[in-house]
């Protein structure tokens, strides 16, 4: 009997180890070329492979996604919604990772393109690219989205007549201390800084209300170094990156590098930069380039400044969004125009990437996130 019990326990142990190696990934898409909406995959870390387990119907281009801090809920912007915008909430089945639709709300502006959730899990911030505004939505205890309780409308323009004819709010990124949210406006070449009232789901301008970047650069996405002292901004229109130091008391940003080139000198075709991430160790920064179709790789110095390490072709067209897994072992790149996600192994000492040969078909993927387990 003891031998049998031991055998069963050993078997269960092996099974749990296998299960622990699999993680859940969520893919946001544009409603193009047969896309069904949000795709759910299981990632097998040992094998380095992804397998689809669900497709969640949403015909309104559920592009950018965000997970609730509890892991129990997922939120999508619906970029193809009407002029009032749209945001959806989903319950996450913790056993399988599958999604069940709960409810939707307006984002109070056209073209919602980014959503983030504060660390208390009580407030969502939605960036309306077309509407040039930020919407603030409370999250109920059951994970559902409530109607917006606050919004901020930007106004103005930039030197690029085609892309900066008006305000275009592109992302809202929470500070590590959860006290401030940084809102990138591509049209105004500004990072607006707001203090957050998490109890009432409202915002107000910080004492230093914004940081400006070079005219015509086009702020897009923003990310913080793990130590919280430094932060980095994608400048979409000039295919560059800006580096900042941050005052944790006031939230104010001080630029330490501007217009750092991400493209090789000999590349002269059209390109726009898109996404930006730092590896978990804080040693390397990656930025995606659409046109050159590669990730630019930078080493991060102790002073927060960047030094170019190299470029990694992404094996697809238009790498809009990418993910560095929480362990820093893999990088996943979502290609909007070649309908695929490619997987790379990451050298944690050099920061360089090696293509694994894995390319997963997904129609018009534009966002990829992983549920921590």
């Amino acid at each position: 009997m003891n031998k049998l019990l031991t055998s069963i326990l050993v078997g269960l142990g092996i099974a749990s180890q296998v299960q622990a190696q699999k993680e859940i990934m969520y893919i946001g898409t544009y409603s193009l070329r047969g896309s069904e909406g949000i795709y759910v995959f299981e990632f097998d870390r040992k094998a380095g492979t992804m397998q689809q387990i669900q497709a969640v119907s949403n015909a309104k281009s559920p592009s950018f996604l965000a997970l609730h801090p509890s892991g129990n809920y997922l939120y999508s912007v619906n970029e193809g919604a009407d002029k009032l915008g749209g945001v959806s909430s989903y319950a996450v089945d913790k056993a399988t990772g599958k999604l069940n639709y709960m409810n939707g709300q307006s984002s109070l502006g056209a073209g919602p393109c980014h959503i983030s959730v504060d660390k208390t899990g009580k407030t969502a911030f939605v960036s309306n690219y077309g509407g040039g505004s930020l919407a603030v939505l409370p999250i109920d205890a059951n994970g559902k989205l409530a109607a917006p309780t606050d919004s901020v409308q930007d106004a103005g323009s930039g030197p690029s007549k085609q892309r900066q004819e008006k305000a275009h709010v592109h992302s809202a990124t929470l500070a590590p201390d959860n006290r401030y949210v940084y809102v990138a406006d591509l049209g105004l070449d500004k990072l607006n800084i707001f203090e957050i009232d998490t109890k009432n789901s409202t915002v107000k301008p910080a004492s230093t209300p914004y940081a400006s970047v070079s005219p015509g650069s086009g702020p897009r996405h923003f990310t913080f170094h793990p130590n919280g002292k430094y932060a980095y901004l994608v400048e979409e229109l000039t295919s560059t990156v800006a580096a900042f130091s941050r005052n944790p008391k006031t939230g104010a940003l001080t630029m330490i590098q501007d217009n750092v080139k991400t493209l090789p000198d000999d590349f002269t075709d059209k390109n726009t930069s898109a996404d930006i991430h730092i590896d978990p160790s804080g040693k390397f920064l990656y930025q995606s380039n659409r046109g050159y179709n590669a990730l630019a790789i930078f080493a991060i110095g102790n002073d927060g400044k960047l030094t170019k390490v190299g470029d990694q072709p992404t094996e697809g067209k238009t790498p809009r969004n990418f993910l560095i897994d929480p362990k820093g072992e893999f990088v996943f790149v979502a290609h909007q125009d070649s309908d695929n996600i490619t997987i790379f192994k990451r050298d944690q000492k050099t920061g360089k990437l090696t293509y694994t040969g894995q390319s997963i078909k997904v129609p018009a993927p534009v966002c990829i996130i992983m549920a921590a387990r």
Side-chain angles (χ1 to χ4, degrees), residues 18 50 65 89 117 143 148 194 258 264 280 348 350 366:
V18 171
M50 292 170 60
L65 311 176
S89 69
V117 179
F194 296 98
D258 188 24
Q348 303 197 44
T350 67
V366 292

Side-chain angles (χ1 to χ4, degrees), residues 37-226:
I38 301 172
Y39 290 80
V40 185
F41 280 80
E42 195 168 50
F43 175 59
D44 187 322
R45 183 174 293 271
K46 188 174 181 180
T49 57
M50 292 170 60
Q51 182 175 351
Q52 184 180 325
I53 59 173
Q54 187 187 24
V56 182
S57 179
N58 183 331
K60 298 293 185 181
S61 289
S63 58
F64 205 86
L65 311 176
L67 275 167
H68 191 274
S70 67
N72 293 327
Y73 314 105
L74 180 136
Y75 305 94
S76 79
V77 297
N78 300 320
E79 200 163 339
D82 62 21
K83 63 183 180 180
L84 294 178
V87 194
S88 296
S89 69
Y90 299 85
V92 176
D93 184 322
K94 294 304 286 284
T96 64
K98 291 183 178 181
L99 303 176
N100 289 297
Y101 176 79
M102 293 196 298
N103 80 324
Q105 293 286 355
S106 167
S107 64
L108 304 180
C113 64
H114 186 277
I115 183 168
S116 53
V117 179
D118 91 293
K119 292 186 178 181
T120 69
K122 295 179 180 178
T123 307
F125 301 88
V126 180
S127 301
N128 295 305
Y129 181 86
S133 64
L134 174 75
V136 186
L137 289 77
I139 298 173
D140 293 337
N142 61 7
K144 291 183 178 181
L145 293 163
T149 48
D150 202 359
S151 65
V152 180
Q153 179 66 56
D154 274 0
S157 60
S160 173
K161 292 181 180 180
Q162 288 187 328
R163 294 296 309 278
Q164 297 182 308
E165 80 290 359
K166 64 176 184 177
H168 289 299
V169 173
H170 217 311
S171 64
T173 305
L174 288 136
D177 59 15
N178 210 52
R179 293 175 56 208
Y180 300 93
V181 63
Y182 295 77
V183 181
D185 194 314
L186 183 142
L188 307 186
D189 293 316
K190 283 185 177 180
L191 268 169
N192 294 314
I193 308 170
F194 296 98
E195 288 186 41
I196 304 167
D197 182 339
T198 55
K199 291 183 180 179
N200 298 304
S201 294
T202 58
V203 296
K204 67 177 182 179
S207 56
T208 301
Y210 63 87
S212 294
V213 294
S214 296
S217 57
R220 182 183 172 96
H221 283 192
F222 192 56
T223 191
F224 285 94
H225 192 279

Side-chain angles (χ1 to χ4, degrees), residues 235-254:
E235 296 172 312
E236 176 179 338
L237 303 184
T238 50
S239 301
T240 53
V241 57
F244 300 86
S245 62
R246 175 177 175 269
N247 184 323
K249 292 183 179 179
T250 66
L253 298 172
T254 301

Side-chain angles (χ1 to χ4, degrees), residues 283-326:
K283 294 179 180 178
F284 298 97
L285 178 141
Y286 302 79
Q287 183 164 316
S288 62
N289 280 312
R290 303 171 293 180
Y292 185 51
N293 295 330
L295 298 185
I297 307 170
F298 292 89
I300 303 174
N302 292 332
D303 59 357
K305 292 185 177 180
L306 302 173
T307 303
K308 185 81 177 285
V309 171
D311 298 281
Q312 174 62 52
T314 56
E315 309 296 331
K317 187 178 180 182
T318 317
R320 183 186 176 96
N321 189 244
F322 67 97
L323 166 75
I324 303 172
D325 90 271

